[in-house]
Amino acid sequence: MSQEIPENMHEVVLKVQELNETRHGADVVTEEEVMKDAVHDTLQYWADYLLDGHYDDVLWDGEDLVIEDIMGKRVGRVKPMSATFANDYRQSPEGTLFRLENEANKIIAQR
């Protein structure tokens, strides 16, 4: 997977520090934002990988992630296991990222 996507809480903390150091007092980035980005980017990564290119877009719909095809049709939805994906990630980063890979496989395979 991409080096830019944190795969555990230690990498989340490092990414928060890195991003906040470069902002020099501007809006502070939180762990929750970094975890949400990691979840989104992971699902987008797997969609792109499985389709051999960027044809589908992963978008937030409330606390859910949806996948839209190139024509804008929603072809899949992934809901968090708990209230939010940030909670899921905090409890089990590896399990959450693995689940997103499996969900991407299911959504792409059904087409």
Side-chain angles (χ1 to χ4, degrees):
M1 190 161 355
S2 169
Q3 294 287 68
E4 295 295 314
I5 301 174
E7 296 182 14
N8 57 54
M9 285 307 295
H10 177 71
E11 290 179 9
V12 166
V13 170
L14 293 176
K15 181 101 175 183
V16 167
Q17 290 173 347
E18 174 188 327
L19 291 171
N20 285 331
E21 286 174 3
T22 61
R23 291 179 177 231
H24 304 293
D27 294 332
V28 175
V29 175
T30 65
E31 287 182 2
E32 183 170 328
E33 291 170 316
V34 171
M35 289 183 285
K36 284 183 73 170
D37 286 347
V39 167
H40 172 276
D41 295 348
T42 297
L43 190 57
Q44 184 68 65
Y45 170 86
W46 285 112
D48 293 350
Y49 177 82
L50 294 165
L51 292 169
D52 292 323
H54 185 87
Y55 300 101
D56 291 357
D57 288 317
V58 174
L59 307 167
W60 286 103
D61 183 15
E63 291 298 328
D64 299 350
L65 287 169
V66 294
I67 298 178
E68 288 186 355
D69 67 13
I70 198 165
M71 301 303 290
K73 178 183 173 196
R74 290 188 172 189
V75 295
R77 175 178 296 272
V78 182
K79 295 180 175 286
M81 297 294 286
S82 66
T84 67
F85 275 110
N87 287 343
D88 293 354
Y89 189 99
R90 188 176 301 281
Q91 291 190 5
S92 177
E94 186 177 280
T96 301
L97 300 180
F98 183 70
R99 179 173 168 257
L100 292 168
E101 178 185 358
N102 286 336
E103 293 294 328
N105 274 303
K106 287 179 199 174
I107 292 166
I108 302 302
Q110 76 182 2
R111 296 173 43 198

